[in-house]
Amino acid sequence: MKKIFYLLSILALCSSCELNEFPESSALEEDVFGTEGGLRRYSISFYNDLPSSSDAYRLDQMSDYGAVNNLDNFLKLNAYTAQTSSGWDWKNLRNINHFLASNNRSNVSETSRNHYNGVARFFRAYFYYKMVTRFGDVPWVDKALSITDNDILYGDRGDRTVVMDHILADLDYAYANIQTSSSTDGSEITKWTALGLKTRIALFEASFRKYHTELGLASTANKYYKQVVDAAQELMTKGPHSIYTAKGPELSQRQLFVSDAAVTQEVMLAIAFNKNLAILSSANWYWTSPTYGPRYSFVRPFINTILNRDGTPYTNRTGYNTQEFYDECQNRDYRLSQLIRTPGYKIDGKPAAPNFNGYSYTGYQPIKYTLDESKYDNGQLNTNAIPLMRYAEVLLNYAEARAELGEITDGDWQKTIGALRSRAGITGGTSQLPTVIDTYIKEKFFKDIDNPVLLEIRRERQVELALEGFRFNDLKRWNAGHIMASLEWSGIYIPELDKPMDLDRDGTVDVIFYDGNNKGPSVTVGAKVAKIAIGGPATNYQTLTADKHLEWFKAQTRTWYDDGRQYYYPIPSNAIVLNKNLKNYPFWQ
């Protein structure tokens, strides 16, 4: 089922409904709830809560490992308040609960009614997961409200334990009752998608409780880790999905993101596009334009965590910190060359080095969602399906939960982290649990973690799932949000200024960096060569670190408050005006 970007006309009347609005009864409602076709048509409206075609490929645009051209206000000092907050929107929940309350006609079989109730409850769980990760405590509402339900309409913000337990119950119901076990194009919810979402949500809650000790819920974390393990094991042993390897280590992972048809062997949920129906995305435009997107560029500390192909840390290489771009890309985990432009990457069949002439700030230019032809670069033209859930994530969720419970074995490692690394061409460390801490990833990212297994799982997660929308929530649940402000936005090594650089060594000069206090390079280069000023009065955003690496945006401070307020968003002030019983956490008041 293609994702629908509009509501059916019968439901459009409810598109702006709030919690206390109820659609008028009509003969049309009997047509909807009195036939299986009507239930199916109604259920299409739930899919509008998934990421849209215009944002599914940009879900990690605010993360620690991506340098951008403009900071989100959330990371600026005193720039984000309850007056500017958003997201306290309950329309989608109202739509779901109305369906669940109305789906009771006996002329539709109980199996069919339960199936569509399962789909509805999947989306209710998904809706509430987004609300909890954004706001923390929120009220649980499981019925279509009327204007007399004042105790709920004007209630307080609720209890996260109540909400989380209801979420998992909804997903258990969805798994037990959804009849769909496969989706031809990956865009339809299946029983296995429900299990996959359960592993995601239970892992978030387990680790949030463990690492946010201020909640006083750490003793209950294992309950949720066990839910991750149970759901993942069920999916891994009974489900139809597996790791896709058909394109070999050099291409298999990226194929999941550039294929027109979702690779449903691994992709469990996707947004499918259709050229004939003019349902397209602007992924290339976003990731290649100097003006349309944020010019998102990976930063060197993250790139440094991508392993050598033999399974050893890249930072164990002698002189790694002074390797030029070509050399640092050699003999690395093949996901590096499937994530950014590396030597050998081509567009229109021609070598294409990182584009400093209008895009990259650091030299690490993403390609995960882009097609390798320039004809896609200037508009909403992309046809490639965008994965929203992959079997790889389930393996990572399982491995992390088992490790947090202290139960992970060599066998677990081999079929999860080892399998993903093997798919990427890594030859070492895929069959046994690690026993040695990588001091680089510990010091740069996770100073409080002393368990080598957990450190490697976190490494694997940030590499495998880069740009897929998990990073900010991962840092929040690990109580590691400070990395959003502290990780340096550095890039490739620049041995000297005024030196023409052939980044991919294809025989063509790509860029020259020069002192921004001068009018231009002192060395003559071709007109098409990018000329990048370093420092100087007009270029204070592009500088060099003390050890001669590009650095971006050092002049603008990223802020992570010590009081921890950014682990939640404030409830918008206009909602609090309407309901005096709603209270923001003290740090947002």
Side-chain angles (χ1 to χ4, degrees), residues 32 35 66 71 84 92-93 108 147 261 316 325 377 511 534 563 570:
V32 172
T35 67
L71 286 183
T84 59
N92 291 331
L93 178 65
V108 179
I147 59 175
N316 284 3
F325 179 70
D377 289 352
V511 62
I534 301 297
D563 60 17

Side-chain angles (χ1 to χ4, degrees), residues 170-231:
D170 271 353
L171 291 171
D172 286 341
Y173 181 94
Y175 174 60
N177 288 279
I178 291 175
Q179 300 299 302
T180 308
S181 59
S182 64
S183 172
T184 55
D185 66 357
S187 66
E188 188 170 6
I189 299 301
T190 70
K191 62 191 296 96
W192 309 112
T193 318
L195 277 184
L197 185 60
K198 185 178 180 182
T199 70
R200 180 185 299 180
I201 294 175
L203 183 65
F204 179 89
E205 188 63 11
S207 42
F208 203 93
R209 290 178 180 225
K210 175 175 180 176
Y211 291 103
H212 287 267
T213 55
E214 74 278 4
L215 296 179
L217 297 173
S219 64
T220 64
N222 283 358
K223 164 187 171 181
Y224 294 93
Y225 282 127
K226 289 175 182 175
Q227 296 245 28
V228 179
V229 171
D230 291 345

Side-chain angles (χ1 to χ4, degrees), residues 359-470:
Y359 191 87
S360 188
Y361 294 123
T362 65
Y364 306 118
Q365 183 173 349
I367 61 168
K368 194 164 190 173
Y369 295 101
T370 59
L371 301 175
D372 302 333
E373 296 179 74
S374 58
K375 68 181 182 180
Y376 295 103
D377 289 352
N378 296 305
Q380 192 163 316
L381 301 169
N382 281 67
T383 55
N384 46 312
I386 306 298
L388 299 177
M389 182 185 294
R390 295 195 287 128
Y391 184 69
E393 181 206 344
V394 175
L395 297 184
L396 289 164
N397 295 346
Y398 173 79
E400 184 176 340
R402 289 279 283 176
E404 290 283 11
L405 289 167
E407 298 173 351
I408 193 167
T409 66
D410 286 342
D412 292 327
W413 182 267
Q414 187 171 1
K415 67 186 179 185
T416 58
I417 309 303
L420 293 173
R421 291 184 175 180
S422 294
R423 193 251 297 270
I426 294 176
T427 58
T430 60
S431 59
Q432 293 181 317
L433 294 170
T435 57
V436 178
I437 286 177
D438 176 5
T439 56
Y440 183 89
I441 197 168
K442 176 178 170 63
E443 291 305 313
K444 285 289 185 179
F445 291 91
F446 307 115
K447 290 182 171 64
D448 296 332
I449 300 300
D450 295 314
N451 183 324
V453 176
L454 283 177
L455 282 171
E456 289 303 317
I457 289 172
R458 291 190 183 189
R459 182 208 304 273
E460 189 65 19
R461 187 174 182 89
Q462 68 187 37
V463 173
E464 178 66 29
L465 300 180
L467 300 185
E468 296 181 49
F470 295 96

Side-chain angles (χ1 to χ4, degrees), residues 417-586:
I417 309 303
L420 293 173
R421 291 184 175 180
S422 294
R423 193 251 297 270
I426 294 176
T427 58
T430 60
S431 59
Q432 293 181 317
L433 294 170
T435 57
V436 178
I437 286 177
D438 176 5
T439 56
Y440 183 89
I441 197 168
K442 176 178 170 63
E443 291 305 313
K444 285 289 185 179
F445 291 91
F446 307 115
K447 290 182 171 64
D448 296 332
I449 300 300
D450 295 314
N451 183 324
V453 176
L454 283 177
L455 282 171
E456 289 303 317
I457 289 172
R458 291 190 183 189
R459 182 208 304 273
E460 189 65 19
R461 187 174 182 89
Q462 68 187 37
V463 173
E464 178 66 29
L465 300 180
L467 300 185
E468 296 181 49
F470 295 96
R471 185 58 173 181
F472 188 41
N473 275 348
D474 281 347
L475 294 182
K476 287 200 294 184
R477 66 186 178 87
W478 292 328
N479 202 5
H482 59 276
I483 303 174
M484 295 287 291
S486 63
L487 194 68
E488 65 182 27
W489 280 2
S490 57
I492 65 173
Y493 177 65
I494 309 298
E496 58 183 291
L497 299 181
D498 281 325
K499 175 185 176 182
M501 299 185 70
D502 177 4
L503 296 174
D504 55 2
R505 298 188 187 172
D506 68 339
T508 302
V509 173
D510 301 301
V511 62
I512 186 169
F513 299 93
Y514 67 94
D515 188 337
N517 292 299
N518 301 330
K519 293 183 177 180
S522 61
V523 178
T524 301
V525 292
K528 294 184 178 180
V529 174
K531 305 170 184 66
I532 307 299
I534 301 297
T539 59
N540 59 335
Y541 288 161
Q542 189 77 77
T543 56
L544 284 184
T545 63
D547 57 359
K548 297 184 178 180
H549 290 270
L550 289 179
E551 186 166 22
W552 175 250
F553 236 154
K554 187 175 182 179
Q556 183 152 347
T557 302
R558 287 169 279 143
T559 299
W560 193 265
Y561 292 89
D562 291 339
D563 60 17
R565 69 185 64 186
Q566 287 149 295
Y567 289 108
Y568 314 93
Y569 282 76
I571 298 173
S573 57
N574 58 354
I576 293 176
V577 168
L578 293 173
N579 179 3
K580 302 299 184 183
N581 291 316
L582 283 177
K583 303 292 184 184
N584 263 318
Y585 294 125

Side-chain angles (χ1 to χ4, degrees), residues 101-121:
S102 304
N103 184 18
N104 53 20
R105 279 30 171 207
S106 60
N107 47 321
V108 179
S109 73
E110 183 178 9
T111 298
S112 292
R113 282 187 280 118
N114 290 345
H115 164 78
Y116 287 107
N117 282 343
V119 174
R121 291 180 69 168

